[in-house]
Short mmCIF file of all heavy atoms in Angstrom, two decimals:
data_model
loop_
_atom_site.label_atom_id
_atom_site.label_comp_id
_atom_site.label_asym_id
_atom_site.label_seq_id
_atom_site.Cartn_x
_atom_site.Cartn_y
_atom_site.Cartn_z
N THR I 393 88.56 -41.75 42.37
CA THR I 393 89.45 -42.03 41.25
C THR I 393 88.90 -41.46 39.95
O THR I 393 87.69 -41.38 39.75
CB THR I 393 89.68 -43.53 41.09
OG1 THR I 393 88.42 -44.19 40.90
CG2 THR I 393 90.38 -44.10 42.32
N LEU I 394 89.82 -41.10 39.05
CA LEU I 394 89.47 -40.59 37.72
C LEU I 394 90.37 -41.32 36.72
O LEU I 394 91.56 -41.01 36.60
CB LEU I 394 89.69 -39.07 37.65
CG LEU I 394 89.46 -38.43 36.28
CD1 LEU I 394 88.01 -38.60 35.83
CD2 LEU I 394 89.84 -36.95 36.30
N ASP I 395 89.79 -42.29 36.02
CA ASP I 395 90.55 -43.06 35.04
C ASP I 395 90.68 -42.26 33.75
O ASP I 395 89.68 -41.78 33.21
CB ASP I 395 89.85 -44.39 34.77
CG ASP I 395 89.85 -45.29 36.00
OD1 ASP I 395 90.88 -45.93 36.24
OD2 ASP I 395 88.83 -45.33 36.71
N CYS I 396 91.92 -42.15 33.25
CA CYS I 396 92.17 -41.23 32.13
C CYS I 396 92.49 -41.93 30.82
O CYS I 396 93.24 -41.40 30.00
CB CYS I 396 93.28 -40.25 32.51
SG CYS I 396 92.62 -38.87 33.49
N GLY I 397 91.91 -43.10 30.60
CA GLY I 397 92.08 -43.75 29.31
C GLY I 397 91.45 -45.12 29.29
O GLY I 397 91.03 -45.66 30.31
N THR I 398 91.38 -45.68 28.08
CA THR I 398 90.81 -47.00 27.84
C THR I 398 91.92 -48.04 27.85
O THR I 398 93.04 -47.77 27.39
CB THR I 398 90.06 -47.01 26.50
OG1 THR I 398 88.93 -46.12 26.61
CG2 THR I 398 89.57 -48.40 26.12
N CYS I 399 91.62 -49.24 28.36
CA CYS I 399 92.65 -50.26 28.48
C CYS I 399 92.06 -51.64 28.19
O CYS I 399 90.94 -51.94 28.60
CB CYS I 399 93.23 -50.23 29.89
SG CYS I 399 94.74 -51.18 30.11
N ASN I 400 92.81 -52.47 27.45
CA ASN I 400 92.45 -53.87 27.26
C ASN I 400 92.84 -54.66 28.50
O ASN I 400 94.02 -54.76 28.82
CB ASN I 400 93.17 -54.45 26.04
CG ASN I 400 92.69 -53.87 24.73
OD1 ASN I 400 91.50 -53.64 24.56
ND2 ASN I 400 93.60 -53.63 23.81
N PHE I 401 91.85 -55.24 29.17
CA PHE I 401 92.12 -55.97 30.40
C PHE I 401 92.29 -57.47 30.18
O PHE I 401 92.45 -58.22 31.13
CB PHE I 401 91.01 -55.72 31.42
CG PHE I 401 91.19 -54.48 32.25
CD1 PHE I 401 90.21 -54.09 33.14
CD2 PHE I 401 92.34 -53.71 32.17
CE1 PHE I 401 90.37 -52.95 33.93
CE2 PHE I 401 92.52 -52.57 32.94
CZ PHE I 401 91.52 -52.19 33.83
N GLY I 402 92.25 -57.91 28.93
CA GLY I 402 92.43 -59.33 28.65
C GLY I 402 91.19 -59.93 28.02
O GLY I 402 90.06 -59.57 28.38
N GLY I 403 91.41 -60.86 27.08
CA GLY I 403 90.28 -61.47 26.39
C GLY I 403 89.43 -60.41 25.71
O GLY I 403 89.95 -59.59 24.95
N ASP I 404 88.14 -60.43 25.98
CA ASP I 404 87.24 -59.44 25.39
C ASP I 404 86.93 -58.29 26.35
O ASP I 404 86.07 -57.46 26.06
CB ASP I 404 85.91 -60.11 24.97
CG ASP I 404 86.08 -61.06 23.81
OD1 ASP I 404 86.90 -60.76 22.92
OD2 ASP I 404 85.42 -62.12 23.80
N GLU I 405 87.61 -58.22 27.51
CA GLU I 405 87.32 -57.20 28.49
C GLU I 405 88.05 -55.90 28.15
O GLU I 405 89.28 -55.86 28.13
CB GLU I 405 87.70 -57.67 29.89
CG GLU I 405 86.80 -58.74 30.45
CD GLU I 405 86.91 -58.88 31.95
OE1 GLU I 405 87.85 -58.31 32.54
OE2 GLU I 405 86.06 -59.57 32.54
N ILE I 406 87.28 -54.86 27.90
CA ILE I 406 87.84 -53.54 27.61
C ILE I 406 87.29 -52.56 28.64
O ILE I 406 86.07 -52.40 28.79
CB ILE I 406 87.47 -53.06 26.19
CG1 ILE I 406 87.93 -54.07 25.14
CG2 ILE I 406 88.08 -51.69 25.91
CD1 ILE I 406 87.47 -53.75 23.73
N PHE I 407 88.20 -51.91 29.36
CA PHE I 407 87.83 -50.88 30.34
C PHE I 407 87.77 -49.56 29.59
O PHE I 407 88.81 -48.98 29.26
CB PHE I 407 88.84 -50.86 31.46
CG PHE I 407 88.54 -49.87 32.55
CD1 PHE I 407 87.24 -49.67 33.01
CD2 PHE I 407 89.56 -49.14 33.14
CE1 PHE I 407 86.96 -48.77 34.02
CE2 PHE I 407 89.31 -48.24 34.15
CZ PHE I 407 88.00 -48.05 34.60
N VAL I 408 86.56 -49.09 29.31
CA VAL I 408 86.35 -47.97 28.40
C VAL I 408 86.25 -46.65 29.17
O VAL I 408 85.43 -46.50 30.07
CB VAL I 408 85.08 -48.18 27.56
CG1 VAL I 408 84.83 -46.96 26.66
CG2 VAL I 408 85.21 -49.45 26.73
N ASN I 409 87.10 -45.69 28.77
CA ASN I 409 87.05 -44.33 29.29
C ASN I 409 87.35 -43.39 28.13
O ASN I 409 88.50 -43.08 27.84
CB ASN I 409 88.07 -44.12 30.41
CG ASN I 409 87.76 -44.92 31.65
OD1 ASN I 409 86.89 -44.56 32.43
ND2 ASN I 409 88.44 -46.05 31.81
N THR I 410 86.29 -42.96 27.44
CA THR I 410 86.48 -42.04 26.33
C THR I 410 86.85 -40.65 26.88
O THR I 410 86.70 -40.38 28.08
CB THR I 410 85.19 -41.90 25.50
OG1 THR I 410 84.18 -41.26 26.31
CG2 THR I 410 84.68 -43.27 25.05
N GLU I 411 87.30 -39.78 26.00
CA GLU I 411 87.61 -38.42 26.43
C GLU I 411 86.39 -37.76 27.05
O GLU I 411 86.49 -37.08 28.08
CB GLU I 411 88.14 -37.59 25.26
CG GLU I 411 88.55 -36.19 25.68
CD GLU I 411 89.15 -35.38 24.54
OE1 GLU I 411 88.77 -35.62 23.37
OE2 GLU I 411 89.98 -34.50 24.82
N ASN I 412 85.23 -37.96 26.45
CA ASN I 412 84.02 -37.35 26.99
C ASN I 412 83.66 -37.92 28.36
O ASN I 412 83.17 -37.19 29.24
CB ASN I 412 82.85 -37.52 26.02
CG ASN I 412 82.96 -36.62 24.81
OD1 ASN I 412 83.66 -35.62 24.83
ND2 ASN I 412 82.26 -36.97 23.74
N THR I 413 83.91 -39.21 28.55
CA THR I 413 83.68 -39.82 29.87
C THR I 413 84.59 -39.17 30.90
O THR I 413 84.15 -38.81 32.01
CB THR I 413 83.95 -41.33 29.82
OG1 THR I 413 82.93 -41.96 29.04
CG2 THR I 413 83.97 -41.95 31.21
N ILE I 414 85.86 -39.01 30.57
CA ILE I 414 86.81 -38.42 31.52
C ILE I 414 86.39 -36.99 31.87
O ILE I 414 86.40 -36.60 33.05
CB ILE I 414 88.23 -38.44 30.93
CG1 ILE I 414 88.66 -39.88 30.62
CG2 ILE I 414 89.22 -37.79 31.90
CD1 ILE I 414 89.86 -39.98 29.69
N ILE I 415 85.99 -36.22 30.87
CA ILE I 415 85.55 -34.85 31.12
C ILE I 415 84.30 -34.84 32.01
O ILE I 415 84.21 -34.05 32.96
CB ILE I 415 85.29 -34.12 29.79
CG1 ILE I 415 86.61 -33.88 29.05
CG2 ILE I 415 84.53 -32.81 30.02
CD1 ILE I 415 86.44 -33.38 27.62
N GLU I 416 83.35 -35.71 31.71
CA GLU I 416 82.13 -35.77 32.52
C GLU I 416 82.45 -36.08 33.98
O GLU I 416 81.95 -35.42 34.90
CB GLU I 416 81.18 -36.84 31.96
CG GLU I 416 79.92 -37.02 32.80
CD GLU I 416 79.09 -38.22 32.40
OE1 GLU I 416 79.46 -38.94 31.44
OE2 GLU I 416 78.05 -38.46 33.06
N PHE I 417 83.29 -37.09 34.19
CA PHE I 417 83.63 -37.47 35.56
C PHE I 417 84.37 -36.33 36.27
O PHE I 417 84.09 -36.03 37.43
CB PHE I 417 84.50 -38.73 35.56
CG PHE I 417 83.75 -40.02 35.36
CD1 PHE I 417 82.66 -40.11 34.51
CD2 PHE I 417 84.15 -41.16 36.02
CE1 PHE I 417 81.99 -41.30 34.32
CE2 PHE I 417 83.48 -42.37 35.86
CZ PHE I 417 82.39 -42.44 35.00
N ALA I 418 85.31 -35.69 35.56
CA ALA I 418 86.07 -34.59 36.17
C ALA I 418 85.16 -33.43 36.54
O ALA I 418 85.28 -32.85 37.63
CB ALA I 418 87.16 -34.13 35.21
N GLU I 419 84.25 -33.07 35.65
CA GLU I 419 83.35 -31.94 35.93
C GLU I 419 82.45 -32.23 37.13
O GLU I 419 82.22 -31.34 37.97
CB GLU I 419 82.51 -31.63 34.69
CG GLU I 419 83.29 -31.00 33.55
CD GLU I 419 82.41 -30.63 32.39
OE1 GLU I 419 81.47 -31.39 32.07
OE2 GLU I 419 82.67 -29.57 31.77
N LYS I 420 81.98 -33.46 37.23
CA LYS I 420 81.09 -33.79 38.35
C LYS I 420 81.85 -33.85 39.66
O LYS I 420 81.32 -33.47 40.72
CB LYS I 420 80.35 -35.10 38.05
CG LYS I 420 79.30 -34.90 36.95
CD LYS I 420 78.48 -36.14 36.67
CE LYS I 420 77.38 -35.80 35.65
NZ LYS I 420 76.56 -36.98 35.29
N MET I 421 83.10 -34.28 39.63
CA MET I 421 83.92 -34.24 40.84
C MET I 421 84.22 -32.79 41.22
O MET I 421 84.16 -32.42 42.40
CB MET I 421 85.21 -35.02 40.62
CG MET I 421 85.03 -36.52 40.55
SD MET I 421 86.63 -37.37 40.38
CE MET I 421 86.06 -38.94 39.71
N ASN I 422 84.57 -31.97 40.25
CA ASN I 422 84.84 -30.55 40.53
C ASN I 422 83.65 -29.87 41.18
O ASN I 422 83.81 -29.07 42.12
CB ASN I 422 85.20 -29.82 39.23
CG ASN I 422 86.54 -30.22 38.66
OD1 ASN I 422 87.40 -30.73 39.37
ND2 ASN I 422 86.72 -30.00 37.37
N ALA I 423 82.46 -30.17 40.70
CA ALA I 423 81.25 -29.53 41.21
C ALA I 423 81.02 -29.86 42.69
O ALA I 423 80.39 -29.08 43.42
CB ALA I 423 80.04 -29.94 40.39
N ARG I 424 81.55 -30.99 43.13
CA ARG I 424 81.37 -31.43 44.51
C ARG I 424 82.62 -31.20 45.37
O ARG I 424 82.65 -31.59 46.54
CB ARG I 424 80.97 -32.90 44.55
CG ARG I 424 79.58 -33.17 43.98
CD ARG I 424 79.25 -34.66 43.96
NE ARG I 424 77.87 -34.88 43.53
CZ ARG I 424 76.81 -34.90 44.33
NH1 ARG I 424 76.97 -34.71 45.64
NH2 ARG I 424 75.59 -35.10 43.86
#
């Protein structure tokens, strides 16, 4: 999976996916 954004999951829980995180994950998946 490749999550493409940040989302408030309720209360103080934030699922963080910055643009740089998305790029990093995509590049590492591409390499493999």
Side-chain angles (χ1 to χ4, degrees):
T393 58
L394 176 63
D395 294 279
C396 278
T398 294
C399 193
N400 291 321
F401 274 175
D404 292 324
E405 289 198 348
I406 303 174
F407 181 41
V408 177
N409 293 282
T410 67
E411 183 177 30
N412 286 339
T413 290
I414 301 163
I415 291 170
E416 177 190 359
F417 281 37
E419 288 184 322
K420 289 183 175 178
M421 289 183 200
N422 290 338
R424 292 177 175 272

